[in-house]
Amino acid sequence: MRADAKKNRDHLLAVAGTAIAEQGVEVSLRDIARRADVGLATLLRHFPTREALLDALLHTSFEALTAKAGALETSDSPDEALVSWLRDCVAWTTEYRGVTVLMAAAIEDPESALHASCVTLRAAGARLLTRAQAAGLARSDIDGADVFALVAALAWLGDQPALAPRAGHLFDVVASAILTGAASGDAGWVTTDSRP
Amino acid sequence: MRADAKKNRDHLLAVAGTAIAEQGVEVSLRDIARRADVGLATLLRHFPTREALLDALLHTSFEALTAKAGALETSDSPDEALVSWLRDCVAWTTEYRGVTVLMAAAIEDPESALHASCVTLRAAGARLLTRAQAAGLARSDIDGADVFALVAALAWLGDQPALAPRAGHLFDVVASAILTGAASGDAGWVTTDSRP
DNA sequence: ACCTATGTGGATCGCTGATCCGAATAATCG
DNA sequence: CGATTATTCGGATCAGCGATCCACATAGGT
């Protein structure tokens, strides 16, 4: 890659990160190009679609989440491992308002630039789920795709200004449904807030 | 209202219903106007915003759901009443792909044309929840807003092509979390599908 | 039959992402 | 170091969106 091209690419990624943090992933690509003092065509050549831009931007985040899942696979409490990883996933999406919709669309679209990352993430979650199920700590009538969908739904809640205040509490509610709660019926130990 | 205006208004509503059924609530307003052989300005004068159009279109559905909730309030099993009404709500949204996002935005925006309908719906659900809680059949650490958010999240799942196949099953999972399952721990009786 | 208040829709605006292509420039070769 | 070539750039343009304006048509009461 030519030096000026790489410079533009890196600069665009930096600017896109800022813009998305401010306005969410649906920010105007023209805005990003303007703020990077670059033509819109240049942005679109480096990243032909919004998904391609996001994939480049979120690649390290995806890797971090996947790595964390790998580390948790040897934890000695598979239920806590699963729930804490799911919580991390939901928490991570809050940094990229609107990303959930794109990921939900990408998981079944092999053409999407985000497809591979989403599939990897789902597989990582599935492994944690399977381990918890094997230990009898998670209900057995769900699979990795179910967990991915539940996390997506909870992440979407966090994206909706009117519903976001409930997202944390509802995560606990849903977590209590995933776990079989052999220890405690209301799964109080995963609760992070203290509403009645 | 002048007779020709009313004719246009009714015709627009009919055409909009068809178009939304085909393409979801984000269908181009220009398309609706075109298909109704009417200028875009005419559509926008009758319904200044997309929300206003939807409110007019969905008004009878909202009334039906609210009425059903009222009827269920005298049911002799508050838990079944709550869950079956929630299921109706989720099922209803599948007829209007994408409506969930608009409703989630409207519930806290008094300016939205959909605001009143959403608030009414939430209140109806809250009454059914309170009744189930009073009978000790629903967990006590959630309120009407939580249930509204959960239904919205499940409805959103049904809107995502990749996640929709799981929506029915995940409704049961979430329902089992809402109910205290005094009768059966895994709330198997609300399950409608038979996946392992 | 007229007259006015009401309704209409083509034209236009600013915005979106997509695409084209002449101009600019980095990298390479003589 | 200078010339050549392949790459990159970005202004211009296109079709689409919703919003708005206003000259024109017409329904309905007088």
PDB file of all heavy atoms in Angstrom, chain A residues 2 4-5 8 30 39 41-42 45-46, chain D residues 5-15:
ATOM      1  N   ARG A   2       0.507   2.209  -0.804  1.00  0.00           N
ATOM      2  CA  ARG A   2       1.300   3.431  -0.905  1.00  0.00           C
ATOM      3  C   ARG A   2       1.247   4.200   0.418  1.00  0.00           C
ATOM      4  O   ARG A   2       0.266   4.111   1.162  1.00  0.00           O
ATOM      5  CB  ARG A   2       0.736   4.305  -2.031  1.00  0.00           C
ATOM      6  CG  ARG A   2       1.739   4.589  -3.131  1.00  0.00           C
ATOM      7  CD  ARG A   2       1.075   5.144  -4.348  1.00  0.00           C
ATOM      8  NE  ARG A   2       0.580   6.494  -4.155  1.00  0.00           N
ATOM      9  CZ  ARG A   2       0.146   7.262  -5.151  1.00  0.00           C
ATOM     10  NH1 ARG A   2       0.159   6.786  -6.404  1.00  0.00           N
ATOM     11  NH2 ARG A   2      -0.301   8.452  -4.933  1.00  0.00           N
ATOM     12  N   ASP A   4       0.946   7.396   1.221  1.00  0.00           N
ATOM     13  CA  ASP A   4      -0.121   8.380   1.423  1.00  0.00           C
ATOM     14  C   ASP A   4      -1.464   7.691   1.636  1.00  0.00           C
ATOM     15  O   ASP A   4      -2.307   8.168   2.393  1.00  0.00           O
ATOM     16  CB  ASP A   4      -0.178   9.350   0.236  1.00  0.00           C
ATOM     17  CG  ASP A   4      -0.345   8.623  -1.088  1.00  0.00           C
ATOM     18  OD1 ASP A   4      -0.084   7.410  -1.127  1.00  0.00           O
ATOM     19  OD2 ASP A   4      -0.738   9.263  -2.073  1.00  0.00           O
ATOM     20  N   ALA A   5      -1.627   6.542   0.974  1.00  0.00           N
ATOM     21  CA  ALA A   5      -2.866   5.798   1.148  1.00  0.00           C
ATOM     22  C   ALA A   5      -2.996   5.289   2.576  1.00  0.00           C
ATOM     23  O   ALA A   5      -4.054   5.401   3.205  1.00  0.00           O
ATOM     24  CB  ALA A   5      -2.920   4.639   0.157  1.00  0.00           C
ATOM     25  N   ASN A   8      -3.881   8.140   4.927  1.00  0.00           N
ATOM     26  CA  ASN A   8      -5.298   8.470   4.849  1.00  0.00           C
ATOM     27  C   ASN A   8      -6.146   7.427   5.557  1.00  0.00           C
ATOM     28  O   ASN A   8      -7.082   7.752   6.288  1.00  0.00           O
ATOM     29  CB  ASN A   8      -5.730   8.578   3.375  1.00  0.00           C
ATOM     30  CG  ASN A   8      -5.603  10.001   2.862  1.00  0.00           C
ATOM     31  OD1 ASN A   8      -5.530  10.946   3.642  1.00  0.00           O
ATOM     32  ND2 ASN A   8      -5.572  10.158   1.555  1.00  0.00           N
ATOM     33  N   ARG A  30     -20.195  11.040   4.782  1.00  0.00           N
ATOM     34  CA  ARG A  30     -19.717  12.325   4.264  1.00  0.00           C
ATOM     35  C   ARG A  30     -19.118  13.171   5.380  1.00  0.00           C
ATOM     36  O   ARG A  30     -18.108  13.835   5.197  1.00  0.00           O
ATOM     37  CB  ARG A  30     -20.881  13.071   3.608  1.00  0.00           C
ATOM     38  CG  ARG A  30     -20.479  13.948   2.442  1.00  0.00           C
ATOM     39  CD  ARG A  30     -21.693  14.601   1.822  1.00  0.00           C
ATOM     40  NE  ARG A  30     -21.662  14.593   0.371  1.00  0.00           N
ATOM     41  CZ  ARG A  30     -22.235  13.679  -0.377  1.00  0.00           C
ATOM     42  NH1 ARG A  30     -22.900  12.677   0.191  1.00  0.00           N
ATOM     43  NH2 ARG A  30     -22.159  13.727  -1.678  1.00  0.00           N
ATOM     44  N   GLY A  39     -11.834  13.458   0.547  1.00  0.00           N
ATOM     45  CA  GLY A  39     -13.032  13.336  -0.268  1.00  0.00           C
ATOM     46  C   GLY A  39     -13.849  12.126   0.123  1.00  0.00           C
ATOM     47  O   GLY A  39     -13.306  11.128   0.623  1.00  0.00           O
ATOM     48  N   ALA A  41     -15.136  10.061  -1.819  1.00  0.00           N
ATOM     49  CA  ALA A  41     -14.716   8.922  -2.653  1.00  0.00           C
ATOM     50  C   ALA A  41     -13.531   8.196  -2.036  1.00  0.00           C
ATOM     51  O   ALA A  41     -13.417   6.977  -2.146  1.00  0.00           O
ATOM     52  CB  ALA A  41     -14.373   9.406  -4.058  1.00  0.00           C
ATOM     53  N   THR A  42     -12.653   8.940  -1.380  1.00  0.00           N
ATOM     54  CA  THR A  42     -11.487   8.316  -0.751  1.00  0.00           C
ATOM     55  C   THR A  42     -11.916   7.403   0.393  1.00  0.00           C
ATOM     56  O   THR A  42     -11.447   6.259   0.504  1.00  0.00           O
ATOM     57  CB  THR A  42     -10.540   9.411  -0.236  1.00  0.00           C
ATOM     58  OG1 THR A  42     -10.137  10.211  -1.345  1.00  0.00           O
ATOM     59  CG2 THR A  42      -9.324   8.805   0.410  1.00  0.00           C
ATOM     60  N   ARG A  45     -13.400   4.309  -1.040  1.00  0.00           N
ATOM     61  CA  ARG A  45     -12.483   3.386  -1.677  1.00  0.00           C
ATOM     62  C   ARG A  45     -11.768   2.540  -0.631  1.00  0.00           C
ATOM     63  O   ARG A  45     -11.617   1.349  -0.770  1.00  0.00           O
ATOM     64  CB  ARG A  45     -11.471   4.126  -2.563  1.00  0.00           C
ATOM     65  CG  ARG A  45     -10.574   3.178  -3.336  1.00  0.00           C
ATOM     66  CD  ARG A  45      -9.915   3.856  -4.534  1.00  0.00           C
ATOM     67  NE  ARG A  45     -10.408   5.208  -4.752  1.00  0.00           N
ATOM     68  CZ  ARG A  45      -9.904   6.292  -4.180  1.00  0.00           C
ATOM     69  NH1 ARG A  45      -8.888   6.190  -3.359  1.00  0.00           N
ATOM     70  NH2 ARG A  45     -10.399   7.468  -4.468  1.00  0.00           N
ATOM     71  N   HIS A  46     -11.373   3.178   0.480  1.00  0.00           N
ATOM     72  CA  HIS A  46     -10.722   2.408   1.538  1.00  0.00           C
ATOM     73  C   HIS A  46     -11.700   1.453   2.208  1.00  0.00           C
ATOM     74  O   HIS A  46     -11.353   0.322   2.539  1.00  0.00           O
ATOM     75  CB  HIS A  46     -10.126   3.358   2.575  1.00  0.00           C
ATOM     76  CG  HIS A  46      -8.860   4.019   2.118  1.00  0.00           C
ATOM     77  ND1 HIS A  46      -7.704   3.322   1.899  1.00  0.00           N
ATOM     78  CD2 HIS A  46      -8.576   5.309   1.840  1.00  0.00           C
ATOM     79  CE1 HIS A  46      -6.743   4.153   1.503  1.00  0.00           C
ATOM     80  NE2 HIS A  46      -7.259   5.367   1.454  1.00  0.00           N
TER      81      HIS A  46
ATOM     82  P    DT D   5       5.872   4.626 -19.490  1.00  0.00           P
ATOM     83  OP1  DT D   5       6.189   3.551 -20.450  1.00  0.00           O
ATOM     84  OP2  DT D   5       5.077   5.794 -19.894  1.00  0.00           O
ATOM     85  O5'  DT D   5       5.183   3.944 -18.223  1.00  0.00           O
ATOM     86  C5'  DT D   5       5.971   3.164 -17.322  1.00  0.00           C
ATOM     87  C4'  DT D   5       5.203   2.940 -16.027  1.00  0.00           C
ATOM     88  O4'  DT D   5       5.361   4.081 -15.130  1.00  0.00           O
ATOM     89  C3'  DT D   5       3.692   2.763 -16.195  1.00  0.00           C
ATOM     90  O3'  DT D   5       3.260   1.743 -15.322  1.00  0.00           O
ATOM     91  C2'  DT D   5       3.132   4.113 -15.758  1.00  0.00           C
ATOM     92  C1'  DT D   5       4.090   4.442 -14.625  1.00  0.00           C
ATOM     93  N1   DT D   5       4.148   5.874 -14.226  1.00  0.00           N
ATOM     94  C2   DT D   5       4.266   6.190 -12.893  1.00  0.00           C
ATOM     95  O2   DT D   5       4.336   5.353 -12.018  1.00  0.00           O
ATOM     96  N3   DT D   5       4.315   7.536 -12.631  1.00  0.00           N
ATOM     97  C4   DT D   5       4.236   8.568 -13.548  1.00  0.00           C
ATOM     98  O4   DT D   5       4.288   9.741 -13.203  1.00  0.00           O
ATOM     99  C5   DT D   5       4.109   8.166 -14.930  1.00  0.00           C
ATOM    100  C7   DT D   5       4.014   9.200 -16.012  1.00  0.00           C
ATOM    101  C6   DT D   5       4.067   6.854 -15.200  1.00  0.00           C
ATOM    102  P    DA D   6       2.070   0.727 -15.747  1.00  0.00           P
ATOM    103  OP1  DA D   6       2.616  -0.422 -16.477  1.00  0.00           O
ATOM    104  OP2  DA D   6       1.000   1.565 -16.349  1.00  0.00           O
ATOM    105  O5'  DA D   6       1.554   0.243 -14.316  1.00  0.00           O
ATOM    106  C5'  DA D   6       2.489   0.132 -13.245  1.00  0.00           C
ATOM    107  C4'  DA D   6       1.921   0.790 -11.990  1.00  0.00           C
ATOM    108  O4'  DA D   6       2.058   2.230 -12.083  1.00  0.00           O
ATOM    109  C3'  DA D   6       0.444   0.506 -11.752  1.00  0.00           C
ATOM    110  O3'  DA D   6       0.296   0.019 -10.431  1.00  0.00           O
ATOM    111  C2'  DA D   6      -0.248   1.852 -11.939  1.00  0.00           C
ATOM    112  C1'  DA D   6       0.869   2.823 -11.584  1.00  0.00           C
ATOM    113  N9   DA D   6       0.742   4.131 -12.236  1.00  0.00           N
ATOM    114  C8   DA D   6       0.484   4.377 -13.551  1.00  0.00           C
ATOM    115  N7   DA D   6       0.433   5.662 -13.851  1.00  0.00           N
ATOM    116  C5   DA D   6       0.682   6.294 -12.655  1.00  0.00           C
ATOM    117  C6   DA D   6       0.773   7.659 -12.303  1.00  0.00           C
ATOM    118  N6   DA D   6       0.605   8.655 -13.168  1.00  0.00           N
ATOM    119  N1   DA D   6       1.046   7.950 -11.014  1.00  0.00           N
ATOM    120  C2   DA D   6       1.193   6.945 -10.138  1.00  0.00           C
ATOM    121  N3   DA D   6       1.134   5.629 -10.352  1.00  0.00           N
ATOM    122  C4   DA D   6       0.874   5.370 -11.642  1.00  0.00           C
ATOM    123  P    DT D   7      -1.102  -0.509  -9.904  1.00  0.00           P
ATOM    124  OP1  DT D   7      -0.889  -1.776  -9.205  1.00  0.00           O
ATOM    125  OP2  DT D   7      -2.082  -0.396 -11.017  1.00  0.00           O
ATOM    126  O5'  DT D   7      -1.446   0.600  -8.821  1.00  0.00           O
ATOM    127  C5'  DT D   7      -0.436   0.984  -7.894  1.00  0.00           C
ATOM    128  C4'  DT D   7      -0.812   2.282  -7.223  1.00  0.00           C
ATOM    129  O4'  DT D   7      -0.778   3.359  -8.175  1.00  0.00           O
ATOM    130  C3'  DT D   7      -2.220   2.305  -6.608  1.00  0.00           C
ATOM    131  O3'  DT D   7      -2.071   2.414  -5.205  1.00  0.00           O
ATOM    132  C2'  DT D   7      -2.893   3.526  -7.233  1.00  0.00           C
ATOM    133  C1'  DT D   7      -1.718   4.331  -7.766  1.00  0.00           C
ATOM    134  N1   DT D   7      -2.012   5.159  -8.978  1.00  0.00           N
ATOM    135  C2   DT D   7      -1.898   6.520  -8.906  1.00  0.00           C
ATOM    136  O2   DT D   7      -1.575   7.118  -7.888  1.00  0.00           O
ATOM    137  N3   DT D   7      -2.172   7.192 -10.079  1.00  0.00           N
ATOM    138  C4   DT D   7      -2.537   6.620 -11.290  1.00  0.00           C
ATOM    139  O4   DT D   7      -2.753   7.320 -12.278  1.00  0.00           O
ATOM    140  C5   DT D   7      -2.640   5.188 -11.286  1.00  0.00           C
ATOM    141  C7   DT D   7      -3.041   4.467 -12.533  1.00  0.00           C
ATOM    142  C6   DT D   7      -2.377   4.532 -10.141  1.00  0.00           C
ATOM    143  P    DT D   8      -3.332   2.406  -4.225  1.00  0.00           P
ATOM    144  OP1  DT D   8      -2.864   1.909  -2.921  1.00  0.00           O
ATOM    145  OP2  DT D   8      -4.457   1.758  -4.927  1.00  0.00           O
ATOM    146  O5'  DT D   8      -3.681   3.962  -4.064  1.00  0.00           O
ATOM    147  C5'  DT D   8      -2.654   4.859  -3.639  1.00  0.00           C
ATOM    148  C4'  DT D   8      -3.169   6.288  -3.717  1.00  0.00           C
ATOM    149  O4'  DT D   8      -3.302   6.692  -5.092  1.00  0.00           O
ATOM    150  C3'  DT D   8      -4.545   6.511  -3.078  1.00  0.00           C
ATOM    151  O3'  DT D   8      -4.418   7.509  -2.075  1.00  0.00           O
ATOM    152  C2'  DT D   8      -5.440   6.937  -4.228  1.00  0.00           C
ATOM    153  C1'  DT D   8      -4.434   7.531  -5.207  1.00  0.00           C
ATOM    154  N1   DT D   8      -4.850   7.499  -6.639  1.00  0.00           N
ATOM    155  C2   DT D   8      -4.882   8.672  -7.367  1.00  0.00           C
ATOM    156  O2   DT D   8      -4.602   9.762  -6.897  1.00  0.00           O
ATOM    157  N3   DT D   8      -5.259   8.525  -8.686  1.00  0.00           N
ATOM    158  C4   DT D   8      -5.593   7.335  -9.331  1.00  0.00           C
ATOM    159  O4   DT D   8      -5.901   7.329 -10.522  1.00  0.00           O
ATOM    160  C5   DT D   8      -5.532   6.158  -8.507  1.00  0.00           C
ATOM    161  C7   DT D   8      -5.876   4.825  -9.108  1.00  0.00           C
ATOM    162  C6   DT D   8      -5.167   6.293  -7.222  1.00  0.00           C
ATOM    163  P    DC D   9      -5.663   7.936  -1.189  1.00  0.00           P
ATOM    164  OP1  DC D   9      -5.143   8.317   0.143  1.00  0.00           O
ATOM    165  OP2  DC D   9      -6.732   6.932  -1.305  1.00  0.00           O
ATOM    166  O5'  DC D   9      -6.119   9.265  -1.941  1.00  0.00           O
ATOM    167  C5'  DC D   9      -5.152  10.290  -2.144  1.00  0.00           C
ATOM    168  C4'  DC D   9      -5.769  11.406  -2.958  1.00  0.00           C
ATOM    169  O4'  DC D   9      -5.987  10.928  -4.299  1.00  0.00           O
ATOM    170  C3'  DC D   9      -7.125  11.874  -2.433  1.00  0.00           C
ATOM    171  O3'  DC D   9      -7.045  13.240  -2.077  1.00  0.00           O
ATOM    172  C2'  DC D   9      -8.094  11.642  -3.589  1.00  0.00           C
ATOM    173  C1'  DC D   9      -7.169  11.501  -4.789  1.00  0.00           C
ATOM    174  N1   DC D   9      -7.676  10.556  -5.835  1.00  0.00           N
ATOM    175  C2   DC D   9      -7.956  11.024  -7.141  1.00  0.00           C
ATOM    176  O2   DC D   9      -7.802  12.222  -7.398  1.00  0.00           O
ATOM    177  N3   DC D   9      -8.386  10.144  -8.075  1.00  0.00           N
ATOM    178  C4   DC D   9      -8.524   8.860  -7.768  1.00  0.00           C
ATOM    179  N4   DC D   9      -8.937   8.034  -8.723  1.00  0.00           N
ATOM    180  C5   DC D   9      -8.236   8.362  -6.455  1.00  0.00           C
ATOM    181  C6   DC D   9      -7.816   9.236  -5.531  1.00  0.00           C
ATOM    182  P    DG D  10      -8.061  13.788  -0.934  1.00  0.00           P
ATOM    183  OP1  DG D  10      -7.317  14.817  -0.181  1.00  0.00           O
ATOM    184  OP2  DG D  10      -8.696  12.653  -0.263  1.00  0.00           O
ATOM    185  O5'  DG D  10      -9.173  14.534  -1.809  1.00  0.00           O
ATOM    186  C5'  DG D  10      -8.763  15.523  -2.723  1.00  0.00           C
ATOM    187  C4'  DG D  10      -9.884  15.809  -3.707  1.00  0.00           C
ATOM    188  O4'  DG D  10     -10.028  14.689  -4.612  1.00  0.00           O
ATOM    189  C3'  DG D  10     -11.265  15.979  -3.046  1.00  0.00           C
ATOM    190  O3'  DG D  10     -11.968  16.978  -3.751  1.00  0.00           O
ATOM    191  C2'  DG D  10     -11.927  14.630  -3.283  1.00  0.00           C
ATOM    192  C1'  DG D  10     -11.394  14.317  -4.663  1.00  0.00           C
ATOM    193  N9   DG D  10     -11.465  12.919  -5.042  1.00  0.00           N
ATOM    194  C8   DG D  10     -11.399  11.817  -4.224  1.00  0.00           C
ATOM    195  N7   DG D  10     -11.491  10.681  -4.868  1.00  0.00           N
ATOM    196  C5   DG D  10     -11.628  11.055  -6.185  1.00  0.00           C
ATOM    197  C6   DG D  10     -11.769  10.258  -7.360  1.00  0.00           C
ATOM    198  O6   DG D  10     -11.802   9.031  -7.446  1.00  0.00           O
ATOM    199  N1   DG D  10     -11.878  11.052  -8.505  1.00  0.00           N
ATOM    200  C2   DG D  10     -11.847  12.434  -8.523  1.00  0.00           C
ATOM    201  N2   DG D  10     -11.956  13.021  -9.715  1.00  0.00           N
ATOM    202  N3   DG D  10     -11.718  13.176  -7.440  1.00  0.00           N
ATOM    203  C4   DG D  10     -11.611  12.430  -6.319  1.00  0.00           C
ATOM    204  P    DG D  11     -12.600  18.235  -3.014  1.00  0.00           P
ATOM    205  OP1  DG D  11     -11.496  19.008  -2.440  1.00  0.00           O
ATOM    206  OP2  DG D  11     -13.701  17.741  -2.161  1.00  0.00           O
ATOM    207  O5'  DG D  11     -13.248  19.058  -4.229  1.00  0.00           O
ATOM    208  C5'  DG D  11     -12.452  19.408  -5.355  1.00  0.00           C
ATOM    209  C4'  DG D  11     -13.229  19.205  -6.645  1.00  0.00           C
ATOM    210  O4'  DG D  11     -13.281  17.783  -6.972  1.00  0.00           O
ATOM    211  C3'  DG D  11     -14.673  19.698  -6.610  1.00  0.00           C
ATOM    212  O3'  DG D  11     -14.961  20.346  -7.845  1.00  0.00           O
ATOM    213  C2'  DG D  11     -15.485  18.417  -6.428  1.00  0.00           C
ATOM    214  C1'  DG D  11     -14.636  17.391  -7.173  1.00  0.00           C
ATOM    215  N9   DG D  11     -14.758  16.018  -6.673  1.00  0.00           N
ATOM    216  C8   DG D  11     -14.665  15.617  -5.356  1.00  0.00           C
ATOM    217  N7   DG D  11     -14.789  14.321  -5.207  1.00  0.00           N
ATOM    218  C5   DG D  11     -14.965  13.840  -6.489  1.00  0.00           C
ATOM    219  C6   DG D  11     -15.152  12.512  -6.968  1.00  0.00           C
ATOM    220  O6   DG D  11     -15.194  11.474  -6.314  1.00  0.00           O
ATOM    221  N1   DG D  11     -15.301  12.466  -8.351  1.00  0.00           N
ATOM    222  C2   DG D  11     -15.272  13.562  -9.176  1.00  0.00           C
ATOM    223  N2   DG D  11     -15.440  13.319 -10.480  1.00  0.00           N
ATOM    224  N3   DG D  11     -15.099  14.811  -8.750  1.00  0.00           N
ATOM    225  C4   DG D  11     -14.950  14.871  -7.408  1.00  0.00           C
ATOM    226  P    DA D  12     -16.404  20.977  -8.121  1.00  0.00           P
ATOM    227  OP1  DA D  12     -16.179  22.159  -8.974  1.00  0.00           O
ATOM    228  OP2  DA D  12     -17.130  21.100  -6.825  1.00  0.00           O
ATOM    229  O5'  DA D  12     -17.120  19.839  -8.993  1.00  0.00           O
ATOM    230  C5'  DA D  12     -16.432  19.265 -10.089  1.00  0.00           C
ATOM    231  C4'  DA D  12     -17.370  18.317 -10.834  1.00  0.00           C
ATOM    232  O4'  DA D  12     -17.304  16.991 -10.225  1.00  0.00           O
ATOM    233  C3'  DA D  12     -18.837  18.729 -10.829  1.00  0.00           C
ATOM    234  O3'  DA D  12     -19.402  18.522 -12.123  1.00  0.00           O
ATOM    235  C2'  DA D  12     -19.469  17.821  -9.772  1.00  0.00           C
ATOM    236  C1'  DA D  12     -18.612  16.550  -9.894  1.00  0.00           C
ATOM    237  N9   DA D  12     -18.510  15.777  -8.647  1.00  0.00           N
ATOM    238  C8   DA D  12     -18.320  16.263  -7.379  1.00  0.00           C
ATOM    239  N7   DA D  12     -18.254  15.329  -6.450  1.00  0.00           N
ATOM    240  C5   DA D  12     -18.420  14.153  -7.161  1.00  0.00           C
ATOM    241  C6   DA D  12     -18.444  12.808  -6.765  1.00  0.00           C
ATOM    242  N6   DA D  12     -18.303  12.397  -5.504  1.00  0.00           N
ATOM    243  N1   DA D  12     -18.623  11.867  -7.727  1.00  0.00           N
ATOM    244  C2   DA D  12     -18.767  12.269  -8.996  1.00  0.00           C
ATOM    245  N3   DA D  12     -18.746  13.508  -9.495  1.00  0.00           N
ATOM    246  C4   DA D  12     -18.569  14.407  -8.507  1.00  0.00           C
ATOM    247  P    DT D  13     -20.920  18.922 -12.434  1.00  0.00           P
ATOM    248  OP1  DT D  13     -20.947  19.399 -13.821  1.00  0.00           O
ATOM    249  OP2  DT D  13     -21.430  19.771 -11.331  1.00  0.00           O
ATOM    250  O5'  DT D  13     -21.695  17.518 -12.380  1.00  0.00           O
ATOM    251  C5'  DT D  13     -21.169  16.400 -13.090  1.00  0.00           C
ATOM    252  C4'  DT D  13     -21.881  15.127 -12.660  1.00  0.00           C
ATOM    253  O4'  DT D  13     -21.415  14.724 -11.345  1.00  0.00           O
ATOM    254  C3'  DT D  13     -23.410  15.267 -12.552  1.00  0.00           C
ATOM    255  O3'  DT D  13     -24.027  14.386 -13.479  1.00  0.00           O
ATOM    256  C2'  DT D  13     -23.713  14.890 -11.110  1.00  0.00           C
ATOM    257  C1'  DT D  13     -22.492  14.083 -10.699  1.00  0.00           C
ATOM    258  N1   DT D  13     -22.224  14.071  -9.236  1.00  0.00           N
ATOM    259  C2   DT D  13     -22.148  12.870  -8.591  1.00  0.00           C
ATOM    260  O2   DT D  13     -22.277  11.800  -9.145  1.00  0.00           O
ATOM    261  N3   DT D  13     -21.900  12.957  -7.232  1.00  0.00           N
ATOM    262  C4   DT D  13     -21.729  14.115  -6.494  1.00  0.00           C
ATOM    263  O4   DT D  13     -21.511  14.057  -5.287  1.00  0.00           O
ATOM    264  C5   DT D  13     -21.825  15.346  -7.233  1.00  0.00           C
ATOM    265  C7   DT D  13     -21.659  16.650  -6.522  1.00  0.00           C
ATOM    266  C6   DT D  13     -22.065  15.261  -8.549  1.00  0.00           C
ATOM    267  P    DC D  14     -25.629  14.506 -13.718  1.00  0.00           P
ATOM    268  OP1  DC D  14     -25.892  14.338 -15.161  1.00  0.00           O
ATOM    269  OP2  DC D  14     -26.140  15.688 -13.009  1.00  0.00           O
ATOM    270  O5'  DC D  14     -26.147  13.206 -12.960  1.00  0.00           O
ATOM    271  C5'  DC D  14     -25.497  11.956 -13.185  1.00  0.00           C
ATOM    272  C4'  DC D  14     -26.134  10.875 -12.318  1.00  0.00           C
ATOM    273  O4'  DC D  14     -25.506  10.893 -11.015  1.00  0.00           O
ATOM    274  C3'  DC D  14     -27.632  11.074 -12.096  1.00  0.00           C
ATOM    275  O3'  DC D  14     -28.369   9.902 -12.397  1.00  0.00           O
ATOM    276  C2'  DC D  14     -27.756  11.434 -10.617  1.00  0.00           C
ATOM    277  C1'  DC D  14     -26.491  10.827 -10.008  1.00  0.00           C
ATOM    278  N1   DC D  14     -26.036  11.600  -8.827  1.00  0.00           N
ATOM    279  C2   DC D  14     -25.779  10.933  -7.621  1.00  0.00           C
ATOM    280  O2   DC D  14     -25.944   9.713  -7.568  1.00  0.00           O
ATOM    281  N3   DC D  14     -25.368  11.661  -6.560  1.00  0.00           N
ATOM    282  C4   DC D  14     -25.210  12.987  -6.673  1.00  0.00           C
ATOM    283  N4   DC D  14     -24.800  13.659  -5.590  1.00  0.00           N
ATOM    284  C5   DC D  14     -25.456  13.669  -7.883  1.00  0.00           C
ATOM    285  C6   DC D  14     -25.864  12.952  -8.931  1.00  0.00           C
ATOM    286  P    DA D  15     -29.953  10.077 -12.673  1.00  0.00           P
ATOM    287  OP1  DA D  15     -30.250   9.385 -13.939  1.00  0.00           O
ATOM    288  OP2  DA D  15     -30.362  11.490 -12.467  1.00  0.00           O
ATOM    289  O5'  DA D  15     -30.586   9.229 -11.480  1.00  0.00           O
ATOM    290  C5'  DA D  15     -30.123   7.897 -11.227  1.00  0.00           C
ATOM    291  C4'  DA D  15     -30.529   7.484  -9.824  1.00  0.00           C
ATOM    292  O4'  DA D  15     -29.756   8.254  -8.860  1.00  0.00           O
ATOM    293  C3'  DA D  15     -32.010   7.755  -9.504  1.00  0.00           C
ATOM    294  O3'  DA D  15     -32.561   6.633  -8.828  1.00  0.00           O
ATOM    295  C2'  DA D  15     -31.970   8.988  -8.603  1.00  0.00           C
ATOM    296  C1'  DA D  15     -30.629   8.802  -7.895  1.00  0.00           C
ATOM    297  N9   DA D  15     -30.062  10.059  -7.420  1.00  0.00           N
ATOM    298  C8   DA D  15     -30.003  11.258  -8.085  1.00  0.00           C
ATOM    299  N7   DA D  15     -29.438  12.222  -7.392  1.00  0.00           N
ATOM    300  C5   DA D  15     -29.097  11.622  -6.197  1.00  0.00           C
ATOM    301  C6   DA D  15     -28.468  12.106  -5.028  1.00  0.00           C
ATOM    302  N6   DA D  15     -28.053  13.372  -4.877  1.00  0.00           N
ATOM    303  N1   DA D  15     -28.269  11.232  -4.018  1.00  0.00           N
ATOM    304  C2   DA D  15     -28.695   9.967  -4.164  1.00  0.00           C
ATOM    305  N3   DA D  15     -29.293   9.393  -5.211  1.00  0.00           N
ATOM    306  C4   DA D  15     -29.469  10.286  -6.209  1.00  0.00           C
TER     307       DA D  15
END
